Amino acid sequence: MDNKRVLQLKMTVLVVLFLGAILLLYLLWMPENAELNISRIFDFGRAPVQTMDHRGLLVPDSVNISRGDGSFTLQVRECEKSMELALSILKEYYSYGFLQLEEISREQYLQALDGFRSAELDFGFSLPFGFIAELGGFEESGAAAELLISRICFSSAARDSVILVDGQSPGFWRLVFSGPIDCMARFSALELEDEPALAWRADSMLGLGNDELLPLAMSSNAIGFEIRPEAYGDEYLAQDMAEDIFGDTFDFVRRISDSFGNVTYMYGYGEKSFYAGIDGYFEYTSSAAGSEATGFSEDLQRALAFIEACGGLKKTGESTGLRLCGYSESGGRVKDRTFLFTQSFGGRPVAVTEGAGLKVSLSGGSITGFTRRLYRWMTGLYGDVLPCAEASNVIASNSNHIYNILNNNTLAAASSEAFEFAAGETVSMLPGYFADSMDQLNPCWILRTKDGTAFYFDLYNGRPLGFCRSQL
Amino acid sequence: MDWSKATNILIALFVAVDLALGGLYFSQQYSLAQAEAEAARATQSYLEERGASVRCSMPEGKKRMAVLFVSIVKDSEPLEESRFDGYRVVLSGSPGYRAEGISYGDAKAGTLSASGALQKFVALHAEDDILTNLRIDDIELVYWLDRQDLQGAEGQDTARPAWRLRTSQGEFFVEAF
């Protein structure tokens, strides 16, 4: 045998011995129940997911501009521009120097808004002002950071101040700064393509004790069109989500399918369960609450990370924009938090049969609940500009429906009683879209009441399309 | 460089490493087997103290098994339990229904040995009267699904390996994962 052959043989023996050493190491250190799974290491065939923009998540439901004579214009599209402007104004105020935080009365707030030129950003739900400071890139670490606010108001009544409102509690505060800014000049200079709608206080329109803003007359080119549940044509979405949730234990979780094809994945005796409906509804629950004292931003990041890890957001046309549309917190140092997110189309929120398309609950920093019903559409449709059903007429013609739902009552109330009740309970009425169970996206009025219930009415004829009780 | 000499040294080194790792692995396995045998003996003597007896041979060794996806079908006439790949597929808590194996899950995991299952059973019932004068007639590894939570529903579900203990007090199942 020549030297070359001997060397080749030795190299072969060496390779065998090396592989043998690897195998023995694997046998020695492998946990008893472990299983090598190449598909987990090389994740083939997953669709790319969209990275969510933290900043773009918060968009006001409406921007209410007051002329100072009691009338308002209601801007419901392109609110992102007003949000950016508001953040830059707040940053400038903070650069002048923060002087004090003082509580004001509801009357003072209404006077500053109605009696002077003013701009109010209404988010439709309350969230910590500290998060807005974080978005705006200015530092607010004092008492204001902890305030839960749903509206930010700038008024020419006090150019050195910003008014913060918690519409839910309710509470009104004034932040006073060292320098004045002519905020209204900047809001007036905003170039908006959309024509804002006129709005008045509900009491002046309906003659009742409700000082929320209602649009007076509005026209729209929104029309209904067909949409698809995000799982449509993606047979692996549910399994991919389940794999992401259960991780290494996925192959050993209980998988239950009913005769319709809905699947429930269950770990242990229901400690964690994940439901994947064939209609595109997903729900995850976990009894494993955490014990960390996390903050709003940290929990929001965890919620977003969970959404990204659990199905993500597919890059499909216009249907990817997510907005934060609801928030609640409870508990002391260790908090339970729930975030609601909605898809949007044409700058308007898309409500689904459950209310918000995405809901993530955390307890002590751990995800304890998640619901998801998202849709996709490649291109949206618009039609001719038509007058919308008048908000006051929609409330009047549906007051019995609203009364019965809110009172869990099937008996008809007297018309005047039902109307007074419905008008008094209305907190906001804004245009949006409602995705019904027939996979149709319908332009609608979204009427919200004090207890968090949302009613959906056809935008043009005011007929009821559905309703959803508070998810928080 | 003398490649021949270098490979000789490397071969010697790897032989030594492989021998050491092999020895370590086998001694680890031996210790585990010894510990298990010792625990089994302790369980046996504990059972005897409580007046219980094992009247069957104990299956030996551990298996690596996957979960089994099953179809739940109506079973109007009581039939023999279905089998899949030689294993009985047992459905509890859903009278009038039967589980039929469809396919295995993708991954396998180690299961409890029969003696391990017996220890788990004893530990679970140490405070009960069940163990007193208990006679264990048969121990068998089966695929088991308890569907008390979904009684009377057809569809698909997941059965997991379990040890079935047939005793004088009835049947007991001990999950094998």
Side-chain angles (χ1 to χ4, degrees), chain A residues 346-408:
Chain A
R348 301 308 307 141
V350 174
V352 300
T353 46
E354 288 78 20
L358 268 169
K359 174 181 173 181
V360 185
S361 303
L362 298 97
S363 181
S366 297
I367 306 286
T368 52
F370 170 68
T371 63
R372 174 175 177 137
R373 189 192 287 281
L374 297 183
Y375 290 91
R376 53 186 168 143
W377 53 88
M378 291 314 290
T379 50
L381 296 176
Y382 294 101
D384 296 332
V385 176
L386 295 170
C388 303
E390 278 191 29
S392 51
N393 287 344
V394 173
I395 295 175
S397 57
N398 291 287
S399 55
N400 265 312
H401 170 65
I402 296 167
Y403 180 91
N404 290 343
I405 299 292
L406 293 183
N407 291 295
N408 296 313

Side-chain angles (χ1 to χ4, degrees), chain A residues 233-271:
Chain A
D234 185 353
E235 58 185 306
Y236 298 111
L237 179 65
Q239 185 166 328
D240 286 350
M241 287 168 79
E243 282 188 39
D244 291 330
I245 285 171
F246 293 103
D248 289 341
T249 61
F250 173 73
D251 287 316
F252 303 100
V253 297
R254 185 176 172 192
R255 209 171 302 183
I256 308 161
S257 313
D258 63 20
S259 48
F260 301 105
N262 303 309
V263 186
T264 303
Y265 298 85
M266 197 185 290
Y267 176 76
Y269 292 95
E271 287 108 13

